[in-house]
Amino acid sequence: LPAVLFTRELFAVADPASVAVPRSLFAIELYLSLDGWRAIALHHPILYVNLVFFLNVCVLFWLLSLIQRSTWLIDPYWTIIPLLVAHFYAAHPFATANGWRSGVSLALLWAWSLRLTYNYLRREAYRFGAREDWRFAEKRRSSRHFWWYSFFYAYLSQQVMLVGLTLPFYVIHRDARPFGLFDVLFAVAGLAGIVIAHIADTTLYTFMEENRQRIARGEPKVQILERGIWRYSRHPNYFGEQLFWWAIGAIGAALGQPLVLAGTAFNSVVLAVVTVMTERRIAAAPGRREDWARYRAQTSALIPWFRQR
């Protein structure tokens, strides 16, 4: 069953010791109520995805975070869960997709996932669980109540974003209309988003490595990255990410379901909030205030554009 595969594979790549409890609960969930899960998966696939996500990510990942005192596990799964959801929709018994549209959209999602997974592993020096996202780490340090509201802040919010972002794949795999010009244009835009995000993240990674080497030599580090695409956008990696998901959403909207863009829009709002948090953090760093103020005044916030003089 695609539904069973989706649930089982949700934990297949995590550390075995970390997911012993989820696997046990999955067995109870599967064998005690298989017919019920089958019915929901067959007739209400979006509800099924939400239930599986809520139980196996929101609840179980949250419980693991209480034990580990870290929310790190959601980060690598962010790059995997959209693939699981999209393939669940593609393999659904009632799926009636156009082969080209299905293949192109899934290929783009695989490219997105591989790029983001590689960037995550590279950034973390190929270690799992060494650190958690700085936003969650700061909340943990600043509030003794983080243990309970992290369920909403770090996990339930991810469900709204990830399930919302993957809604276009439900529409894509429920519509067999011919593959057309709009599909091509949006696919090219999605591929451009992946390429832009990869270039931006690679440039940032190289910049960070160069600064580490400067510090090791006893030299002052460069405070602001202003080369390559970062010369024309303060957050080109975010721009590439948004371009990809809006392109995927547009494919679904072009099939007559504009409501699938609600998840994309919500993700954009969240990213806007994250951008503000990131910029405040950069501005507060010692020795960066003046350089950052100049860079901020000259450089587009998101969409790469000519610099202001």
Side-chain angles (χ1 to χ4, degrees), residues 24-254:
S24 300
L25 292 183
F26 163 69
I28 296 173
E29 164 195 308
L30 177 62
Y31 294 114
L32 292 187
S33 56
L34 183 57
D35 288 339
W37 281 104
R38 279 177 175 171
I40 295 173
L42 188 63
H43 300 292
H44 307 283
I46 296 176
L47 173 61
Y48 176 81
V49 167
N50 275 282
L51 288 173
V52 170
F53 197 112
F54 181 80
L55 293 173
N56 291 310
V57 178
C58 293
V59 174
L60 295 178
F61 279 25
W62 175 65
L63 292 175
L64 286 170
S65 75
L66 298 182
I67 298 170
Q68 298 179 338
R69 296 181 180 274
S70 175
T71 59
W72 75 273
L73 195 56
I74 192 62
D75 286 340
Y77 268 98
W78 176 273
T79 72
I80 298 169
I81 291 173
L83 276 176
L84 298 176
V85 175
H87 277 284
F88 168 69
Y89 291 144
H92 196 277
F94 295 160
T96 56
N98 173 278
W100 273 99
R101 184 178 298 112
S102 173
V104 168
S105 64
L106 290 175
L108 284 171
L109 188 63
W110 269 98
W112 168 86
S113 178
L114 290 171
R115 183 210 76 79
L116 198 59
T117 301
Y118 169 68
N119 183 65
Y120 169 79
L121 293 173
R122 178 177 59 179
R123 187 189 69 203
E124 299 299 311
Y126 300 92
R127 299 169 299 170
F128 286 104
R131 62 178 179 174
E132 67 177 333
D133 187 287
W134 65 268
R135 294 162 295 173
F136 302 147
E138 286 189 357
K139 289 290 185 181
R140 184 183 302 280
R141 287 192 297 267
S142 63
S143 175
R144 60 190 178 90
H145 300 294
F146 182 73
W147 70 270
W148 67 264
Y149 76 73
S150 63
F151 175 80
F152 304 95
Y153 186 69
Y155 295 105
L156 196 60
S157 63
Q158 311 292 331
Q159 175 167 347
V160 178
M161 283 188 282
L162 286 172
V163 174
L165 284 173
T166 52
L167 278 176
F169 289 98
Y170 174 80
V171 175
I172 288 169
H173 292 98
R174 291 291 177 119
D175 197 306
R177 273 180 275 187
F179 189 77
L181 178 61
F182 283 123
D183 295 295
V184 174
L185 293 176
F186 296 142
V188 170
L191 181 60
I194 294 170
V195 172
I196 290 170
H198 175 69
I199 292 172
D201 279 336
T202 298
T203 305
L204 177 60
Y205 175 79
T206 302
F207 173 76
M208 299 294 289
E209 286 298 305
E210 290 172 350
N211 264 342
R212 291 190 189 97
Q213 294 171 13
R214 291 187 185 98
I215 293 172
R217 294 193 300 264
E219 301 172 1
K221 68 179 183 178
V222 177
Q223 295 294 336
I224 302 295
L225 171 57
E226 297 186 69
R227 67 169 181 255
I229 196 171
W230 292 84
R231 181 174 177 79
Y232 305 100
S233 170
R234 301 201 300 271
H235 304 281
N237 49 349
Y238 292 172
F239 170 73
E241 183 78 359
Q242 288 295 288
L243 179 58
F244 169 76
W245 284 114
W246 277 100
I248 292 296
I251 294 175

